[in-house]
Every structure is written in C-alpha cells, then in structure tokens.
Amino acid sequence: MVAYKTMWRWSCWLIVIMLIFESGSKMAESMRFDMHSGETKCISEDVKADTLSVGSYSIVDPIKGDPNVTVRFFGLQVTSPHGVSYHYGDKVEKGTFAFTASENGPYSACFWSPLRQPPLTTIVEFDWRSGVEARDWSNVAKKGNIEAMEIELRKLAVTVRNIHAEMYYLRDREEEMQELNRSTNSEMAIMGFLSLVVCVSVAGLQSWNLRNYFERKKLL
C-alpha cells in the first residue's frame, strides 16, 4: 500500500511537470497550413469543461510571383464533442471566436475551401488557445497597473488551479476506465461461461446422435 501511494505521488508530480511544460509550449502555439480547392481539414483540441477557449484565423498573403498560391476565402465551424456549434463562418478571410466549454472532450475546428477550377491553394494561419493561454494578460496588466512580477504570479496561480483541476479530471477518467475494465471482464467471463455451456451441450448432443446411429446400425 505504501509503495502504491509513493508511485501515485511520483506520477502526480510527473503529470504536474508535464503540464507545466505543455502550458509553456502552448504560449506561442500557432500553425499554418495549405487549403486546396474542395478540401476539408479538421483540427481538434482537448478542452475541459468550464474552460475558456479562444482562437483566431486568417489568410496569409501569398508569395508574390507564385502562381500556385492564391488568396481565397474559406469556411470554418467549431463544434463540441457532441456536435454543438460554437462558431460558424462561411466565405471569410479572417475572424476570431471565443467560448466557454460546457463539457470535457475534443473540440473540433473544421476548415473547408470551395471547389474551384482550376484548383487553387490558400494558406491559412490558425491560433487556438485554451485555459491560461486564452487570457489576455497584457490587457490585465494595463487595466490594473500591475507590475510584471505580479502578472507572472497570477499566471502561475491560474496554472496551478488548472493543473489541480486536470489531476482531478485524470483521476475521474482513471476511475471510469477501471469501472469499464471491471464490467468488461465480467461480461467476458459470462460470455466465456455461456460459450463453454454451448460447446458442452453441442458435444453431448453430437455424442447422443452418434450413439443412436450406431445402435440402429447394430439392429439392422
């Protein structure tokens, strides 16, 4: 039991360290990708319930003189794990979205480009942030006249709260997976027992048929 608690404690610390590195790496997270005519691309982000999520998207100016890259409009829809739409834009060149997640799970942002002839390519820049990264800390500093050190402390406090919530979320998921494993093992045991009963019954019936067959042969 002591060894299990020690292992759990080290696992928690490892999760905390990983989350801190992850939150630090997400601060500058943005991406660019190509959209060809008639193509659809979806990007997913795992967001916890009651977490703020913001994003911005725009078409990047093409390289001058490149005939294969042309600025075009596109469409975007942001949906929840159960298909609830949080943002929709059609025939847009740029835009932003913001929402507070109502449930845990992967939220999707799907881009599509209209079909055109001849096929053209659009370069899209997309930035999606959730949790601590979604807050505009420079705005907070301006409004409150706060020093840089206090801003960093606020960031750390919010990060710690998010890590705490993430640990509880992971623990709940672990309990759900354990319950699923237990129920699956029970179902597999029942199915195995039923399969054994069926096999024994079929073998007994086959043996009985063979015995009757040979007995009739002897009488003849």
Short mmCIF file of all heavy atoms in Angstrom, two decimals, residues 15-45:
data_model
loop_
_atom_site.label_atom_id
_atom_site.label_comp_id
_atom_site.label_asym_id
_atom_site.label_seq_id
_atom_site.Cartn_x
_atom_site.Cartn_y
_atom_site.Cartn_z
N ILE A 15 2.99 14.32 -13.79
CA ILE A 15 1.92 14.96 -14.54
C ILE A 15 2.01 16.48 -14.41
O ILE A 15 1.83 17.22 -15.38
CB ILE A 15 0.55 14.45 -14.06
CG1 ILE A 15 0.37 12.97 -14.44
CG2 ILE A 15 -0.58 15.28 -14.64
CD1 ILE A 15 -0.85 12.34 -13.82
N VAL A 16 2.30 16.95 -13.19
CA VAL A 16 2.43 18.40 -12.96
C VAL A 16 3.54 18.98 -13.82
O VAL A 16 3.38 20.02 -14.48
CB VAL A 16 2.68 18.68 -11.47
CG1 VAL A 16 3.08 20.14 -11.26
CG2 VAL A 16 1.44 18.37 -10.65
N ILE A 17 4.71 18.30 -13.84
CA ILE A 17 5.84 18.80 -14.63
C ILE A 17 5.50 18.83 -16.11
O ILE A 17 5.77 19.79 -16.83
CB ILE A 17 7.09 17.93 -14.37
CG1 ILE A 17 7.54 18.10 -12.91
CG2 ILE A 17 8.21 18.31 -15.33
CD1 ILE A 17 8.63 17.14 -12.50
N MET A 18 4.84 17.74 -16.58
CA MET A 18 4.47 17.68 -17.99
C MET A 18 3.48 18.78 -18.35
O MET A 18 3.58 19.41 -19.41
CB MET A 18 3.87 16.32 -18.31
CG MET A 18 4.87 15.18 -18.26
SD MET A 18 4.10 13.57 -18.48
CE MET A 18 3.44 13.75 -20.13
N LEU A 19 2.51 19.05 -17.45
CA LEU A 19 1.53 20.08 -17.73
C LEU A 19 2.17 21.47 -17.75
O LEU A 19 1.79 22.34 -18.54
CB LEU A 19 0.41 20.03 -16.69
CG LEU A 19 -0.54 18.85 -16.81
CD1 LEU A 19 -1.49 18.79 -15.62
CD2 LEU A 19 -1.33 18.93 -18.10
N ILE A 20 3.14 21.69 -16.86
CA ILE A 20 3.82 22.98 -16.84
C ILE A 20 4.56 23.20 -18.16
O ILE A 20 4.50 24.27 -18.78
CB ILE A 20 4.78 23.08 -15.65
CG1 ILE A 20 3.97 23.17 -14.34
CG2 ILE A 20 5.70 24.28 -15.78
CD1 ILE A 20 4.82 23.15 -13.10
N PHE A 21 5.30 22.16 -18.62
CA PHE A 21 6.00 22.28 -19.90
C PHE A 21 5.02 22.45 -21.04
O PHE A 21 5.27 23.22 -21.97
CB PHE A 21 6.87 21.04 -20.13
CG PHE A 21 8.21 21.12 -19.48
CD1 PHE A 21 8.48 20.38 -18.35
CD2 PHE A 21 9.19 21.96 -19.98
CE1 PHE A 21 9.72 20.45 -17.73
CE2 PHE A 21 10.44 22.04 -19.37
CZ PHE A 21 10.70 21.29 -18.23
N GLU A 22 3.89 21.75 -20.94
CA GLU A 22 2.90 21.85 -22.02
C GLU A 22 2.30 23.24 -22.06
O GLU A 22 2.13 23.83 -23.12
CB GLU A 22 1.80 20.81 -21.81
CG GLU A 22 0.75 20.83 -22.89
CD GLU A 22 -0.35 19.82 -22.64
OE1 GLU A 22 -0.28 19.11 -21.64
OE2 GLU A 22 -1.28 19.79 -23.47
N SER A 23 1.97 23.79 -20.87
CA SER A 23 1.38 25.14 -20.84
C SER A 23 2.38 26.17 -21.32
O SER A 23 2.03 27.15 -21.97
CB SER A 23 0.91 25.47 -19.42
OG SER A 23 2.02 25.48 -18.52
N GLY A 24 3.68 25.94 -21.02
CA GLY A 24 4.68 26.87 -21.50
C GLY A 24 4.85 26.81 -23.00
O GLY A 24 5.07 27.83 -23.66
N SER A 25 4.74 25.60 -23.56
CA SER A 25 4.90 25.47 -25.01
C SER A 25 3.71 26.01 -25.76
O SER A 25 3.82 26.41 -26.91
CB SER A 25 5.11 24.00 -25.37
OG SER A 25 3.97 23.24 -25.04
N LYS A 26 2.53 26.02 -25.14
CA LYS A 26 1.32 26.47 -25.83
C LYS A 26 1.23 27.98 -25.94
O LYS A 26 0.38 28.51 -26.64
CB LYS A 26 0.07 25.95 -25.11
CG LYS A 26 -0.21 24.49 -25.40
CD LYS A 26 -1.52 24.07 -24.77
CE LYS A 26 -1.85 22.64 -25.09
NZ LYS A 26 -3.12 22.20 -24.47
N MET A 27 2.10 28.70 -25.18
CA MET A 27 2.01 30.15 -25.18
C MET A 27 2.21 30.71 -26.58
O MET A 27 1.62 31.73 -26.93
CB MET A 27 3.07 30.72 -24.22
CG MET A 27 2.73 30.54 -22.76
SD MET A 27 1.24 31.46 -22.32
CE MET A 27 1.14 31.10 -20.59
N ALA A 28 3.07 30.06 -27.36
CA ALA A 28 3.35 30.59 -28.70
C ALA A 28 2.82 29.64 -29.77
O ALA A 28 3.38 29.58 -30.86
CB ALA A 28 4.86 30.79 -28.85
N GLU A 29 1.79 28.88 -29.43
CA GLU A 29 1.30 27.87 -30.36
C GLU A 29 0.42 28.50 -31.43
O GLU A 29 -0.59 29.11 -31.15
CB GLU A 29 0.51 26.81 -29.60
CG GLU A 29 0.04 25.67 -30.46
CD GLU A 29 -0.71 24.62 -29.68
OE1 GLU A 29 -0.87 24.81 -28.47
OE2 GLU A 29 -1.13 23.63 -30.30
N SER A 30 0.83 28.36 -32.67
CA SER A 30 0.02 28.75 -33.82
C SER A 30 0.50 27.91 -34.98
O SER A 30 1.60 27.35 -34.95
CB SER A 30 0.14 30.24 -34.12
OG SER A 30 1.47 30.55 -34.46
N MET A 31 -0.31 27.81 -36.01
CA MET A 31 0.06 26.94 -37.12
C MET A 31 -0.35 27.57 -38.44
O MET A 31 -1.24 28.43 -38.49
CB MET A 31 -0.61 25.58 -36.97
CG MET A 31 -2.13 25.62 -36.99
SD MET A 31 -2.86 24.01 -36.66
CE MET A 31 -2.53 23.87 -34.91
N ARG A 32 0.32 27.11 -39.49
CA ARG A 32 -0.03 27.48 -40.86
C ARG A 32 -0.19 26.20 -41.66
O ARG A 32 0.58 25.25 -41.49
CB ARG A 32 1.05 28.35 -41.48
CG ARG A 32 1.09 29.77 -40.97
CD ARG A 32 2.07 30.60 -41.78
NE ARG A 32 2.12 31.99 -41.31
CZ ARG A 32 2.82 32.95 -41.90
NH1 ARG A 32 3.53 32.67 -42.99
NH2 ARG A 32 2.82 34.17 -41.42
N PHE A 33 -1.15 26.20 -42.54
CA PHE A 33 -1.34 25.04 -43.39
C PHE A 33 -1.98 25.47 -44.70
O PHE A 33 -2.58 26.55 -44.79
CB PHE A 33 -2.22 23.97 -42.70
CG PHE A 33 -3.54 24.49 -42.19
CD1 PHE A 33 -4.66 24.48 -43.01
CD2 PHE A 33 -3.66 24.98 -40.90
CE1 PHE A 33 -5.88 24.95 -42.55
CE2 PHE A 33 -4.87 25.46 -40.43
CZ PHE A 33 -5.98 25.44 -41.25
N ASP A 34 -1.85 24.62 -45.70
CA ASP A 34 -2.39 24.88 -47.03
C ASP A 34 -3.78 24.27 -47.15
O ASP A 34 -4.04 23.17 -46.68
CB ASP A 34 -1.48 24.30 -48.11
CG ASP A 34 -0.13 24.99 -48.15
OD1 ASP A 34 -0.03 26.11 -47.62
OD2 ASP A 34 0.82 24.40 -48.71
N MET A 35 -4.67 25.02 -47.80
CA MET A 35 -6.01 24.53 -48.11
C MET A 35 -6.17 24.53 -49.63
O MET A 35 -6.12 25.57 -50.26
CB MET A 35 -7.08 25.42 -47.47
CG MET A 35 -7.18 25.28 -45.96
SD MET A 35 -7.96 23.74 -45.48
CE MET A 35 -9.59 23.98 -46.15
N HIS A 36 -6.36 23.35 -50.20
CA HIS A 36 -6.58 23.22 -51.64
C HIS A 36 -8.09 23.31 -51.95
O HIS A 36 -8.93 23.05 -51.09
CB HIS A 36 -6.01 21.91 -52.15
CG HIS A 36 -4.55 21.74 -51.85
ND1 HIS A 36 -3.57 22.49 -52.45
CD2 HIS A 36 -3.92 20.92 -50.98
CE1 HIS A 36 -2.39 22.14 -51.99
NE2 HIS A 36 -2.57 21.18 -51.09
N SER A 37 -8.41 23.67 -53.14
CA SER A 37 -9.82 23.81 -53.54
C SER A 37 -10.58 22.51 -53.31
O SER A 37 -10.12 21.43 -53.69
CB SER A 37 -9.90 24.21 -55.02
OG SER A 37 -9.28 25.45 -55.24
N GLY A 38 -11.74 22.64 -52.65
CA GLY A 38 -12.57 21.47 -52.37
C GLY A 38 -12.10 20.62 -51.22
O GLY A 38 -12.67 19.55 -50.96
N GLU A 39 -11.09 21.07 -50.48
CA GLU A 39 -10.51 20.27 -49.39
C GLU A 39 -11.10 20.69 -48.05
O GLU A 39 -11.49 21.84 -47.84
CB GLU A 39 -9.00 20.44 -49.37
CG GLU A 39 -8.29 19.56 -48.36
CD GLU A 39 -6.79 19.77 -48.38
OE1 GLU A 39 -6.34 20.83 -48.86
OE2 GLU A 39 -6.06 18.88 -47.89
N THR A 40 -11.18 19.75 -47.12
CA THR A 40 -11.63 19.99 -45.75
C THR A 40 -10.57 19.49 -44.78
O THR A 40 -10.06 18.38 -44.94
CB THR A 40 -12.96 19.28 -45.46
OG1 THR A 40 -13.96 19.78 -46.35
CG2 THR A 40 -13.41 19.53 -44.03
N LYS A 41 -10.23 20.32 -43.79
CA LYS A 41 -9.26 19.93 -42.77
C LYS A 41 -9.85 20.24 -41.39
O LYS A 41 -10.42 21.31 -41.18
CB LYS A 41 -7.94 20.68 -42.94
CG LYS A 41 -7.11 20.21 -44.12
CD LYS A 41 -5.74 20.87 -44.13
CE LYS A 41 -4.90 20.34 -45.29
NZ LYS A 41 -3.54 20.94 -45.32
N CYS A 42 -9.69 19.29 -40.47
CA CYS A 42 -10.21 19.45 -39.11
C CYS A 42 -9.06 19.37 -38.11
O CYS A 42 -8.17 18.52 -38.24
CB CYS A 42 -11.25 18.38 -38.79
SG CYS A 42 -12.79 18.56 -39.71
N ILE A 43 -9.10 20.25 -37.12
CA ILE A 43 -8.12 20.30 -36.04
C ILE A 43 -8.87 20.16 -34.73
O ILE A 43 -9.89 20.83 -34.51
CB ILE A 43 -7.32 21.61 -36.07
CG1 ILE A 43 -6.58 21.74 -37.41
CG2 ILE A 43 -6.34 21.69 -34.91
CD1 ILE A 43 -6.02 23.13 -37.65
N SER A 44 -8.40 19.28 -33.84
CA SER A 44 -9.09 19.05 -32.58
C SER A 44 -8.22 19.50 -31.41
O SER A 44 -6.99 19.48 -31.48
CB SER A 44 -9.44 17.56 -32.42
OG SER A 44 -8.27 16.78 -32.38
N GLU A 45 -8.90 19.91 -30.36
CA GLU A 45 -8.24 20.37 -29.13
C GLU A 45 -9.01 19.81 -27.95
O GLU A 45 -10.24 19.95 -27.87
CB GLU A 45 -8.22 21.90 -29.08
CG GLU A 45 -7.69 22.49 -27.79
CD GLU A 45 -6.18 22.61 -27.79
OE1 GLU A 45 -5.56 22.33 -28.82
OE2 GLU A 45 -5.62 22.98 -26.73
#
